[in-house]
Amino acid sequence: MDTRNRIRDTAGQDQVRATPANPKRRQWLIGSIAGVALLALVGWVASGWLGGGRSFDAARLRIAEVKRGDLVRDLSADGRVIAANSPTLYAIAAGTVTLQVVAGDKVAKGQALAVIDSPELRSKLVQEESTLAGMEAEASRALLDAQIMRANARKALDQATVERTAAMRDLERYQRAFDGGAVPQNDLARAQDDMKKAEIGLAAAGKDFELQSAGAGLDARNKQLLVERQRAVVVEQRRQVDALTLRAPFDGQVGQVQVPQGTNVIANGPVLSVVDLSRFEVEMKVPESFARDLAIGMPAQITSNGTAFAGEIAAVSPEVVNGEVTARVRFAEGKQPPGLRQNQRLSVRIVMDTRRDVLMVERGPFLEQEGGSTAYVVDGDNAVRQPVQVGASSLDNVEIISGLKAGDRIIVSGTDQFDNADRVRISGN
């Protein structure tokens, strides 16, 4: 019998199914799995609760390690070169300006830079000189009058002296004659009266000489004082006329010219400036928090084209503008680099203090919170808030006096979002 054309049955496709499990056992298994998941959830929540009320991403925080080392309190900033001596010359009076230099010219001390034509000032000088000449003539006349008065008084005194001497001789002669009985008593009495009269005249002449001498000298002295006063006025007027010619106060370079050639300038108006090329300083802006630590004479380092030059602080402004204070640094004697120009930018570093072997940590916004009296110390996945005491600070680091030890890790930035919590959790740390 041919079996090739027989139809196959489905016996080969049949499979024996397993006996179904007990329904109670399956419910127990499902309940066990749910219980384990619930316990895990409760444990995670509990650990989160114990680790802090809130969790923060470590990527949004900056963590720094407390280390021991040398804390260098320095200040670095860019400054601009300015002339230490750059005066502006002003017109002492109104007039027409004649410039004899242009901006950028090299000038020598005493060189004429500009001339101001002021007819009013020159005319006033002539008037004052004429007044002085008149007063000098009056003083000379007063001196001559004083000499004449003294001479007349001396003449009267000498004449009174001669008269007294003559009266004395007459009295002696009459006295001898009266003693010899040659003259009567009346003649002797008349000679005695003449002697008294001569003595009174001599005393009056001597007193008059003293008074005339003193009076004549006082008048002459007053006239001489008036002459000296007027002479001082003339000297000042001459100085003003001389100041119409503006001269270079030192060897340097003409800076900015304020007025065009041949124009009128008002009194006390700026004309031009002169720059002292031998003395430059660097002007820099310093944050207000560092300004109180700066002092005149504090050493500094000025960098120009990669080369450092020694310097020192020359001045610190007492005024705060936009949270900054202006300071000026001068080069040490003989240390100024060549080829400096006005407003050139240079780098300045000022070393204010160096503290050896101290605990320090990177600066951060945590210093501004509660005055830097607390810090969040990282402990595993948690950060604990604890009190600290900070000391001196530099641009990069701050000194830790107490509350932390070397190796501690603290959050220096991002603590503002912690809302002063005692403990927070850090995820992704």
Side-chain angles (χ1 to χ4, degrees), residues 189-425:
R190 190 181 299 107
Q192 290 174 345
D193 293 341
D194 291 341
M195 179 61 187
K196 291 180 180 180
K197 181 179 178 180
E199 289 180 344
I200 293 174
L202 178 61
K207 188 66 175 179
D208 185 63
F209 176 76
E210 293 178 1
L211 294 176
Q212 291 286 352
S213 298
L218 182 61
D219 184 59
R221 182 174 179 272
N222 289 339
K223 292 293 180 64
Q224 190 62 36
L225 289 176
L226 292 176
V227 169
E228 294 299 329
R229 178 181 179 276
Q230 183 62 25
R231 184 174 288 120
V233 172
V234 171
V235 169
E236 173 60 20
Q237 200 65 32
R238 286 174 181 169
R239 185 195 68 80
Q240 294 183 18
V241 171
D242 291 339
L244 292 175
T245 301
L246 304 182
R247 301 182 182 276
F250 44 74
D251 295 343
Q253 184 178 22
V254 177
Q256 190 175 16
V257 178
Q258 307 285 350
V259 295
Q261 179 74 272
T263 58
N264 289 329
V265 64
I266 63 173
N268 300 319
V271 179
L272 51 82
S273 62
V274 183
V275 179
D276 187 355
L277 299 177
S278 63
R279 295 177 57 198
F280 280 107
E281 293 180 350
V282 180
E283 184 181 79
M284 57 185 297
K285 302 294 184 181
V286 179
E288 180 184 359
S289 57
F290 288 94
R292 66 176 63 93
D293 297 324
L294 298 181
I296 295 177
M298 185 175 290
Q301 188 180 75
I302 306 171
T303 303
S304 174
N305 296 326
T307 304
F309 296 87
E312 62 180 15
I313 296 179
V316 179
S317 174
E319 184 179 7
V320 178
V321 179
N322 297 327
E324 293 180 325
V325 173
T326 301
R328 298 178 70 172
V329 180
R330 60 170 169 245
F331 291 93
E333 191 68 28
K335 301 296 183 180
Q336 178 174 304
L340 289 181
R341 292 184 175 274
Q342 285 266 73
N343 297 319
Q344 181 179 345
R345 305 298 296 183
L346 296 179
S347 177
V348 181
R349 179 174 180 263
I350 301 173
V351 178
M352 295 177 288
D353 186 18
T354 301
R355 305 201 175 197
R356 305 292 182 183
D357 193 28
V358 297
L359 281 177
M360 59 183 182
V361 72
E362 180 184 343
R363 279 179 64 108
F366 81 99
L367 289 175
E368 280 71 37
Q369 297 177 359
E370 300 187 33
S373 61
T374 61
Y376 282 89
V377 181
V378 177
D379 182 13
D381 292 336
N382 298 319
V384 181
R385 181 170 175 263
Q386 65 183 48
V388 296
Q389 183 179 0
V390 298
S393 61
S394 67
L395 288 176
D396 301 322
N397 300 291
V398 60
E399 179 185 9
I400 302 298
I401 298 178
S402 64
L404 298 173
K405 63 182 182 299
D408 286 347
R409 298 169 65 237
I410 69 171
I411 302 175
V412 297
S413 177
T415 57
D416 54 331
Q417 54 187 326
F418 292 172
D419 197 20
N420 293 331
D422 292 334
R423 179 186 294 266
V424 297
R425 180 177 177 81

Side-chain angles (χ1 to χ4, degrees), residues 52-67:
R54 299 172 60 188
S55 178
F56 299 92
D57 187 1
R60 300 177 59 187
L61 309 175
R62 192 167 86 245
I63 301 175
E65 181 180 350
V66 179
K67 300 179 180 179

Side-chain angles (χ1 to χ4, degrees), residues 22-36:
N22 190 339
K24 293 183 178 181
R25 181 180 178 184
R26 186 172 63 177
Q27 292 178 357
W28 176 85
L29 181 60
I30 294 174
S32 298
I33 294 174
V36 171

Side-chain angles (χ1 to χ4, degrees), residues 67-85:
K67 300 179 180 179
R68 184 171 289 277
D70 296 339
L71 178 67
V72 179
R73 300 183 62 227
D74 61 350
L75 174 64
S76 297
D78 288 337
R80 66 183 185 94
V81 175
I82 60 174
N85 192 10

Side-chain angles (χ1 to χ4, degrees), residues 9-27:
D9 59 15
T10 60
Q13 299 177 359
D14 294 338
Q15 295 182 359
V16 179
R17 296 183 61 184
T19 303
N22 190 339
K24 293 183 178 181
R25 181 180 178 184
R26 186 172 63 177
Q27 292 178 357

Side-chain angles (χ1 to χ4, degrees), residues 108-175:
K109 182 178 181 180
Q111 178 180 340
L113 308 180
V115 178
I116 301 172
D117 184 19
S118 177
E120 179 183 358
L121 216 60
R122 299 184 187 278
S123 175
K124 188 174 181 181
L125 173 61
V126 174
Q127 295 175 16
E128 298 295 350
E129 287 177 337
S130 299
T131 302
L132 175 62
M135 288 185 172
E136 287 176 338
E138 291 181 4
S140 298
R141 179 64 185 177
L143 183 61
L144 180 61
D145 291 343
Q147 293 175 350
I148 294 174
M149 291 175 64
R150 290 193 188 95
N152 292 334
R154 170 61 66 180
K155 177 181 178 181
L157 177 61
D158 293 342
Q159 185 174 354
T161 302
V162 171
E163 291 177 355
R164 180 183 179 282
T165 302
M168 181 178 293
R169 286 197 297 266
D170 290 343
L171 177 60
E172 291 174 351
R173 185 173 64 253
Y174 275 104
Q175 184 67 44

